[in-house]
Amino acid sequence: MAKDYYKVLGIDRKATAAEIKKAYRKLARKYHPDVNPGNPDAEARFKEIQEAYRVLSDEEKRKQYDTYGFVPDEEGMPAGGAAGRTGWSGPQQDVRVEFHDAGFGGFGDMSEIFEQFFGGAARARRRRPRPQRGQDHELQVEISFEEAVRGTTVSIPLQRQVVCSACGGSGNVGGKVCPACHGAGVVISTERLKVRIPEGVRDGGKVRVAGKGAPGVNGGTPGDLYVRVKVRPHPFFKREGDTIRTTVPITFTEAYLGAEIEVGTIHGPVRTKVPPGTQSGKTFRLRGKGVRNPKTRAYGDHLYTVQIVVPTVISPAGRDVARRVADLYTEDPRAGLPRGL
Ligand SMILES: [Zn+2]
C-alpha cells in the first residue's frame, strides 16, 4: 500500500505549501544520515520523508495523490506491475507503487539544510540571513624532533561535504537514484592540504592556515584552520625553547689535562675545548648552535654538560694508577660540606 505522506510529514491534509516545506525541513534535519551515521532506521525514515515531500511539494503530484492515494514515479513506470508500462492511466487502487529514492527537492532546499547542519546556530540565521564567518577548525599533527628543528611540510586530509557533481545535487540522474551519492545530493570530498611547518616550531605550537576552516554562511568568509604541532622527543637532544641541551661524557684524563672534543649539535659536530681541571657537571655554551626561533629568526644556543665517566673494568694496574690519582687531591673535596642539618 502507498504510504500516508501527510502522516509521514506529521501534517494536516489541508497543510499549505509553506507548512509542508517547514515540516519537511524540520524532519530532514532530524533524520539526515549525516547526523545519524550508521543508523539504518533514520536512513529509512529520511528516505520516506524525502519521498513524501517530493510528492506533496509538487502541486500536480499532490493533487494526484489526494485523489488516488498514490502517484506513479517520474518516468511513469511504477515499480509494481499492472499500470506500469502504459504509464499513468487512472485509479488503480490495488497497484502497489514504489518510489525510487527521491533525493532532495532541489538544490536550494539542500544547501540550506546543509548550512544548518554544518554552520552551527542556524535558526536565527535562517530568519534573517546575514553573512557569518565560518568556524575555525583545529587539528593536530605529529612530527619528529628533526622535522620541527628543520621545518617540514605536512599533508593533511581535509574532508568536506560537496555537492555531487554527477547529479548536480538533486540526488537523481535520469529519474534514478544517483549512483555517485546514493541520492544524498552530496558527497564527501577529501582534499589533501599541504601545510608548511616553519623551522623551529615548538611542541604545542600552532600554524594558521587562512580560509581552511568551516565554510562561511550566507556568503560569509570561511574560518581558519589551526594545525597544532606535536613534536616527538629526541633521545639525545633536549630542547628548552630555542636552547638545545645535551650531556657529553668525558674521561678523567680529558677533564684533568684538558682536551679538544667533538660535541654533536643539531647543526652537526662542533669541535670544542675542555679546559684543564674541568669539573664533572660543568655546562658550556655553544652560541648560535640551538634552534632557530620561528618569529625572530635568531638561533638559540647549545648547552652541553660534561660528565666524567669512570672506567668500570677494575685491574691491578688500574688500582695503582687510581691510588696515585688520589695523591693529586690536595684537600678533601667534601671539606666544606655541612655534616648535618
Ligand atoms: Zn549524486
Side-chain angles (χ1 to χ4, degrees):
M1 288 293 109
K3 290 164 194 137
D4 184 338
Y5 293 143
Y6 292 99
K7 216 180 249 175
V8 167
L9 293 181
I11 50 172
D12 192 83
R13 296 189 83 80
K14 291 192 210 83
T16 63
E19 285 166 344
I20 292 168
K21 199 169 185 178
K22 194 175 162 201
Y24 164 69
R25 284 187 174 158
K26 196 173 153 205
L27 292 168
R29 278 198 296 276
K30 188 172 170 191
Y31 291 103
H32 193 279
D34 283 332
V35 290
N36 299 279
N39 180 344
D41 290 343
E43 197 182 327
R45 189 73 206 279
F46 183 65
K47 285 184 177 166
E48 210 174 57
I49 292 158
Q50 287 181 304
E51 180 184 317
Y53 179 66
R54 173 122 162 177
V55 170
L56 297 185
S57 63
D58 182 312
E59 216 178 301
E60 197 56 38
K61 286 180 187 166
R62 185 179 178 188
K63 214 181 285 173
Q64 288 185 348
Y65 177 75
D66 286 348
T67 310
Y68 304 114
F70 71 101
V71 179
D73 74 10
E74 292 296 279
E75 293 178 311
M77 298 215 316
R85 301 286 175 261
T86 54
W88 176 246
S89 58
Q92 302 264 352
Q93 297 294 346
D94 57 338
V95 175
R96 180 183 160 83
V97 178
E98 287 175 5
F99 285 83
H100 294 254
D101 188 345
F104 279 97
F107 177 63
D109 291 332
M110 190 197 66
S111 64
E112 200 168 331
I113 287 167
F114 275 97
E115 277 167 9
Q116 292 177 26
F117 286 145
F118 300 104
R123 264 160 210 275
R125 207 173 288 155
R126 187 153 62 95
R127 282 195 207 103
R128 204 194 323 152
R130 60 194 156 88
Q132 293 263 326
R133 185 178 177 275
Q135 285 182 328
D136 291 339
H137 284 169
E138 187 176 309
L139 53 81
Q140 178 171 291
V141 293
E142 194 178 308
I143 61 174
S144 71
F145 185 90
E146 189 189 344
E147 287 171 323
V149 165
R150 300 198 194 291
T152 186
T153 300
V154 293
S155 173
I156 295 166
L158 273 192
Q159 294 204 321
R160 285 175 185 280
Q161 193 106 37
V162 295
V163 173
C164 175
S165 58
C167 62
S170 68
N172 293 279
V173 175
K176 294 214 171 81
V177 175
C178 172
C181 63
H182 307 287
V186 290
V187 289
I188 300 290
S189 138
T190 302
E191 174 195 357
R192 293 208 77 92
L193 184 67
K194 290 217 184 306
V195 177
R196 179 75 199 154
I197 306 292
E199 174 183 1
V201 69
R202 292 180 192 188
D203 182 38
K206 283 181 190 172
V207 177
R208 188 174 75 103
V209 189
K212 292 297 181 182
V217 176
N218 297 322
T221 52
D224 296 335
L225 174 70
Y226 285 89
V227 179
R228 195 175 54 250
V229 181
K230 183 173 162 60
V231 182
R232 284 190 293 274
H234 192 275
F236 178 63
F237 295 107
K238 306 291 176 224
R239 185 173 166 184
E240 291 167 9
D242 304 326
T243 302
I244 293 288
R245 279 184 180 276
T246 57
T247 299
V248 179
I250 57 172
T251 66
F252 167 82
T253 314
E254 285 168 335
Y256 183 68
L257 297 177
E260 190 176 293
I261 61 166
E262 188 180 281
V263 173
T265 77
I266 58 170
H267 302 278
V270 171
R271 292 205 71 83
T272 179
K273 283 197 169 79
V274 174
T278 292
Q279 301 298 320
S280 190
K282 183 160 172 64
T283 297
F284 297 90
R285 182 182 300 268
L286 293 171
R287 289 204 185 276
K289 295 297 179 186
V291 182
R292 189 174 210 172
N293 187 295
K295 287 202 182 81
T296 66
R297 311 288 288 155
Y299 287 99
D301 298 336
H302 181 126
L303 300 181
Y304 65 95
T305 301
V306 295
Q307 190 178 41
I308 296 172
V309 290
V310 174
T312 52
V313 176
I314 313 298
S315 64
R319 280 195 189 94
D320 281 352
V321 173
R323 284 194 188 102
R324 273 186 276 141
V325 167
D327 296 338
L328 296 174
Y329 292 94
T330 53
E331 60 178 31
D332 177 0
R334 294 180 289 282
L337 295 184
R339 302 182 67 202
L341 187 62

